[in-house]
Amino acid sequence: MWDIDHTLLRGGDVAARAWMAAFTEVTGLAWQATPAFAGRTDLDICAEVFAVHGVTGCTPERFFDRYVEQVHASRHLFAERGTLLPGVRAVLDALGTRDDVVQTLVTGNVPQVAAAKIAAFGLTGAFDAEVGGYGTDDSVRATLVRRCRERAEAKYGESFRPVVIGDTAHDVSAALANDALAVGVATGGTTMAELAHAGAHAVLADLSDVAATIDIITA
Ligand SMILES: [Mg+2]
């Protein structure tokens, strides 16, 4: 269960700009305050943004529709302004050769935006995105892990030992709430010490040591 932002890639400011533009289009209000996005679900962020700006006449669904349109209009900028993080492609490729591993996404992003980010870096084929957990499933990240596991077990007809890989304490706590293996990777704004303190079972500076990463994920 891979987190996307700051775990697999950095998308530049493309999604944040799309978010702000969509907000003003849908609500007619000027953007005032940018919340902390890291590790949170889009439903959670949306609720905060609406509250801070005093929005009452709009649903998250209507906002997300416009947000997705904005992201699609600027999706060519992800690869231009963003970057794939060290070791990611090699780790995904190595795990992709194993028939005892299903790789998917557990991300706070709405599904269409998750797909656009992954596609921008040529990673679409690495994941079974259909069984992923997304920021439209629930505002609480732990629920995304649960939904992902349920979707995977329903589709594949077997039980899985979930592994959550992410860059924030939110990823770690969501894993722990589901008895999943929590692997922290310090390529975002959270340090290795902070990820360990949050309870991660393993912490990596980044994914550049492919063999070590594979060993941890498949242990
Ligand atoms: Mg992240």
Side-chain angles (χ1 to χ4, degrees):
M1 298 180 184
W2 288 98
D3 171 54
I4 294 178
D5 295 304
H6 299 275
T7 298
L8 298 175
L9 58 90
R10 296 195 185 101
D13 55 358
V14 178
R17 281 173 184 268
W19 182 288
M20 290 185 269
F23 174 81
T24 296
E25 283 187 15
V26 166
T27 65
L29 298 171
W31 184 262
Q32 293 176 37
T34 300
F37 280 84
R40 296 173 64 190
T41 65
D42 280 355
L43 266 177
D44 183 30
I45 298 164
C46 187
E48 179 182 331
V49 166
F50 281 11
V52 165
H53 291 82
V55 175
T56 53
C58 184
T59 62
E61 290 72 24
R62 194 153 70 81
F63 167 70
F64 288 147
D65 284 348
R66 190 69 197 108
Y67 169 54
V68 167
E69 288 174 17
Q70 282 283 352
V71 167
H72 282 164
S74 52
R75 61 192 305 164
H76 60 287
L77 296 174
F78 279 125
E80 204 174 298
R81 296 188 184 166
T83 184
L84 198 60
L85 287 162
V88 164
R89 200 179 299 276
V91 169
L92 294 176
D93 285 349
L95 289 171
T97 64
R98 296 180 58 125
D99 58 10
D100 61 340
V101 174
V102 173
Q103 299 190 86
T104 187
L105 302 164
V106 170
T107 167
N109 285 284
V110 305
Q112 300 94 324
V113 174
K117 289 179 178 178
I118 292 303
F121 293 92
L123 300 178
T124 304
F127 307 103
D128 183 351
E130 188 179 81
V131 300
Y134 298 97
T136 45
D137 284 329
D138 200 85
S139 59
V140 177
R141 195 172 183 109
T143 308
L144 280 47
V145 174
R146 180 170 60 78
R147 293 292 294 123
C148 176
R149 185 179 194 164
E150 289 168 355
R151 287 172 180 139
E153 293 184 349
K155 177 171 177 174
Y156 291 90
E158 55 186 292
S159 62
F160 286 94
R161 189 180 64 86
V163 181
V164 173
I165 307 135
D167 68 296
T168 72
H170 293 298
D171 300 84
V172 173
S173 58
L176 299 180
N178 287 278
D179 292 323
L181 184 71
V183 179
V185 53
T187 39
T190 309
T191 65
M192 292 180 75
E194 288 166 340
L195 290 165
H197 184 71
H201 299 104
V203 180
L204 295 158
D206 61 32
L207 304 182
S208 57
D209 188 337
V210 175
T213 303
I214 302 293
D215 281 350
I216 287 169
I217 291 173
T218 60

